[in-house]
Amino acid sequence: MHLRKMWLKINGANRMFICDPEKDTLADVLRRMGLTGTKVGCDKGVCGSCSVILNGKLTRACTKKIKSLDEYSEVLTIEGIGTPGNLHPIQAAWINLGAVQCGFCVPGFIVSTYALLHENVNPTREEVRDWFQKNRNVCRCTGYKQIVDAVMAAAAVMRGEKTIEEITFKNPSDGEYYGKGVLRPTALAKVCGLADYGDDQELKMPAETLKVVMVQPRLAHHAKILKIDTSEAEKMPGVARIITAEDIKAAGGTNIMAEGHFHERTTIMVPNRNVLCEDRIFRYGDPVALVCADTKDHARAAAGKVKVEIEKLPEYLGYLDAAMPDAMRIHEDTPNIFARQPVLKGAGLEEPSKVAGIIDNSEYSAEGSFFATREPHLSIEGDSVQAYFDEDGMLAIQCKSQGVYSSIGRIGNSVGISRDKIRIIMNPTGASFGWSTNAGDLCLAAAAAVITKQPIALSMTYEEHQHFSGKRRPCHSNGRVACDKNGKITATEFEFGMDQGAYTFGGDDVITKQVRFAFFPYNVPNVAGISRIAITNHNFGTAYRSYGSPQAFTMSEALM
Ligand code: FES
């Protein structure tokens, strides 16, 4: 490795650093210098969280190679735009107009807006939207209206037409907050780039922290594992430890997530997910080992040297395949269709087939078959977890879990530490929308900390995170609805077939949603419906905004 000493003029001051010109990006260098307001989300130049202004031009720092920069180039980051004691009007507007939600995208948007308003201080709303579209600033939380509102308000201040005081939202003075808008308490840190998300926390860990990378073979959706050969990977530079399922068991863990734990609403949850695969891969993103090394690059290089031999098995990549009567069981202890939830009302309660008769004899009816697709959550921040034993002897896991207490049960006894020794701490979170209700990533981090007895940091690439995390469940549906000559609904009948993916967790809970929400909120006197859910070899289903009801509306609203 040949390093270069270099200077850049960052936020008005000349700053020196040492870099690897072949590898480092501008974002790497800025973040190493402590300027962590420049966030890295996708790391592919498409989400805009890393936006900075380079020599007057808006630039995505995560793909800008440092070797392409001239010495003393001028860089403006979020930290150079305003500070908590001296906010720029754009930052003030973001706080006051509700444009800060998770906040991960916010520094990039504010830098981008700064560039826009220095080019055109009087843009239309359409020009603002076009600017963000052109410059690839993406927000998954707000829906953009508040962002455009904030730009318009900041522009009015910058034109001298309004004061910051005039665009400042006042929290209720009577101390009565219920049902009223209030300023988000974390907004100030977020608009200044001072909120530390997972990867920012990782930079503040002690030097001996091991970096953990998953070995995700990505060879098949369903396979027998014949051999995992770690011998070459173990000799790679910086490798401290390679962990497989055997090591987790040797440490006293069951290697089975959530064993003995029951979700508060789940009745028949089957614990069938390994922390690390043992003899089977059940989906494309299943991890088979963890590499713990001194640097992320070393860990990733070694992970690429772990050899996994497999024998492919039949792959069921959708509900209809897995539900066939002659389909082989994906998990030997569980039928592929592992839960059913009926709903019966009126004539349906007396005899379900009577509902079909009512529909047949009604004045008008509509029927159809529909499919709601699988969806990734695509939070702008990916997955970043830190784990260490704290001063109370507890295993502290810093992460973006949406259930800091339920996650303890989901880790269960899987990794060789008892539940009462686990403490989960929620980092500032660059959104989740449901995927972080699942604790698979926490199990991996916990296993690495328990086995190495060292602090560890697990930060997935966006691609690894996408292959690892759960998704919205796809769903087939057939439905009929009928009404009388006045348009009054007489009856509905419907069935849903939902694809749970490889692991059952939460599947019997989510199917209660289709039967509750199909044809909601209409008054339907007679109903015969059922929802079924099947294990497949696709990515597992998990919580997602509106959890299970969009699949119902895909059918019922189309028919209405
Ligand atoms: Fe924009 Fe969360 S506030 S991604």
Side-chain angles (χ1 to χ4, degrees):
M1 186 196 298
H2 297 285
L3 302 181
R4 181 189 296 168
K5 175 176 78 70
M6 230 181 126
W7 291 83
L8 289 176
K9 190 169 187 179
I10 301 173
N11 299 331
N14 288 333
R15 305 276 307 266
M16 191 263 277
F17 53 90
I18 317 290
C19 64
D20 178 346
E22 290 307 315
K23 184 177 137 301
D24 282 335
T25 64
L26 177 56
D28 292 332
V29 166
L30 292 170
R31 291 180 57 77
R32 239 171 22 227
M33 295 171 92
L35 297 167
T36 52
T38 301
K39 307 295 178 195
V40 175
C42 65
D43 207 16
K44 292 275 187 289
V46 296
C47 79
S49 325
C50 62
S51 299
V52 298
I53 296 174
L54 173 65
N55 295 325
K57 194 170 174 308
L58 187 61
T59 302
R60 289 183 294 276
C62 79
T63 49
K64 190 74 189 167
K65 286 281 184 200
I66 205 79
K67 70 177 176 188
S68 69
L69 266 60
D70 293 331
E71 196 107 32
Y72 294 102
S73 289
E74 291 189 25
V75 182
L76 181 69
T77 71
I78 185 70
E79 292 87 349
I81 287 183
T83 58
N86 186 23
L87 290 175
H88 189 278
I90 304 170
Q91 293 167 311
W94 238 258
I95 294 175
N96 286 292
L97 276 294
V100 183
Q101 291 193 20
C102 84
F104 195 82
C105 70
V106 164
F109 264 100
I110 289 176
V111 170
S112 182
T113 302
Y114 186 93
L116 164 67
L117 297 183
H118 278 78
E119 205 173 292
N120 173 12
V121 79
N122 197 8
T124 64
R125 293 184 75 91
E126 288 68 29
E127 284 168 338
V128 173
R129 283 183 171 269
D130 287 349
W131 175 269
F132 292 137
Q133 178 80 9
K134 184 177 88 182
N135 291 292
R136 300 185 187 171
N137 290 103
V138 182
C139 176
R140 281 285 284 140
C141 299
T142 59
Y144 299 98
K145 180 188 175 293
Q146 299 93 324
I147 288 176
V148 181
D149 291 346
V151 177
M152 301 309 277
V157 174
M158 288 169 70
R159 292 194 304 270
E161 293 165 10
K162 282 190 176 168
T163 63
I164 286 192
E165 181 63 19
E166 283 172 309
I167 65 161
T168 298
F169 178 88
K170 307 280 185 307
N171 277 333
S173 55
D174 55 5
E176 287 295 326
Y177 291 93
Y178 186 76
K180 297 178 186 166
V182 288
L183 293 180
R184 193 172 288 269
T186 55
L188 183 63
K190 288 172 177 174
V191 300
C192 296
L194 298 173
D196 285 336
Y197 297 82
D199 283 352
D200 309 327
Q201 300 275 348
E202 181 181 317
L203 290 171
K204 294 170 174 95
M205 298 277 287
E208 64 269 26
T209 302
L210 292 172
K211 307 300 186 300
V212 180
V213 166
M214 295 182 290
V215 178
Q216 279 178 308
R218 300 198 215 154
L219 298 168
H221 298 272
H222 194 196
K224 241 188 229 169
I225 298 175
L226 303 176
K227 192 173 173 195
I228 302 172
D229 180 0
T230 60
S231 53
E232 197 184 337
E234 275 158 23
K235 292 184 209 131
M236 292 287 285
V239 172
R241 180 80 194 239
I242 297 182
I243 297 170
T244 63
E246 280 175 30
D247 298 305
I248 294 178
K249 288 180 163 177
T254 61
N255 193 38
I256 299 170
M257 271 186 68
E259 197 175 25
H261 167 72
F262 289 86
H263 187 282
E264 51 277 11
R265 287 178 300 189
T266 299
T267 51
I268 57 158
M269 201 277 298
V270 183
N272 53 12
R273 181 175 171 195
N274 288 136
V275 175
L276 289 172
C277 293
E278 295 182 5
D279 54 0
R280 290 267 285 276
I281 287 168
F282 288 101
R283 58 159 183 148
Y284 191 69
D286 268 344
V288 302
L290 297 172
V291 177
C292 311
D294 58 348
T295 68
K296 219 176 282 184
D297 287 345
H298 281 154
R300 198 150 273 126
K305 298 288 181 188
V306 175
K307 294 195 185 78
V308 183
E309 285 176 35
I310 60 158
E311 177 189 318
K312 286 197 177 191
L313 294 171
E315 297 172 343
Y316 299 134
L317 294 179
Y319 173 88
L320 298 178
D321 290 339
M324 292 297 280
D326 61 349
M328 70 177 272
R329 277 191 180 193
I330 293 169
H331 290 283
E332 276 144 26
D333 60 356
T334 315
N336 287 356
I337 295 180
F338 65 97
R340 294 172 178 79
Q341 176 66 58
V343 57
L344 301 165
K345 183 182 172 190
L349 262 181
E350 293 163 29
E351 169 53 54
S353 61
K354 283 189 181 173
V355 174
I358 295 170
I359 294 172
D360 291 341
N361 292 316
S362 292
E363 197 76 12
Y364 304 104
S365 68
E367 67 179 88
S369 297
F370 304 90
F371 181 62
T373 57
R374 189 181 318 277
E375 273 181 75
H377 307 71
L378 297 177
S379 56
I380 308 296
E381 184 197 30
D383 198 353
S384 181
V385 187
Q386 303 81 45
Y388 51 91
F389 284 92
D390 70 13
E391 54 197 347
D392 298 325
M394 302 281 285
L395 176 62
I397 304 173
Q398 290 193 199
C399 58
K400 51 196 285 186
S401 171
Q402 280 178 257
V404 290
Y405 296 105
S406 57
S407 286
I408 292 175
R410 288 167 196 184
I411 298 169
N413 303 318
S414 61
V415 297
I417 186 161
S418 64
R419 295 173 203 188
D420 58 352
K421 291 277 177 225
I422 299 173
R423 173 176 285 156
I424 303 208
I425 300 165
M426 193 174 179
N427 283 336
T429 291
S432 159
F433 315 121
W435 67 257
S436 69
T437 51
N438 204 278
D441 50 348
L442 310 195
C443 290
L444 297 178
V450 167
I451 290 168
T452 63
K453 300 185 174 53
Q454 274 183 253
I456 67 92
L458 165 69
S459 175
M460 299 184 194
T461 63
Y462 207 87
E463 189 183 351
E464 288 167 346
H465 158 58
Q466 282 306 304
H467 287 300
F468 183 76
S469 56
K471 304 286 174 270
R472 194 199 293 284
R473 300 162 176 93
C475 189
H476 293 273
S477 50
N478 300 314
R480 295 211 291 164
V481 59
C483 64
D484 65 17
K485 64 178 188 316
N486 300 314
K488 215 165 157 62
I489 298 174
T490 53
T492 65
E493 61 174 1
F494 50 82
E495 60 177 344
F496 293 93
M498 196 164 233
D499 173 351
Q500 167 64 22
Y503 302 113
T504 53
F505 191 72
D508 56 338
D509 183 33
V510 76
I511 56 171
T512 65
K513 299 286 185 162
Q514 294 90 66
V515 297
R516 273 192 269 166
F517 287 98
F519 296 99
F520 179 87
Y522 308 105
N523 181 12
V524 185
N526 303 294
V527 180
I530 189 164
S531 186
R532 302 178 181 89
I533 188 158
I535 301 166
T536 70
N537 293 113
H538 224 302
N539 214 331
F540 62 88
T542 191
Y544 197 126
R545 287 171 162 178
S546 315
Y547 189 52
S549 55
Q551 291 92 327
F553 297 136
T554 298
M555 181 271 292
S556 60
E557 282 304 294
L559 288 180
M560 289 306 293

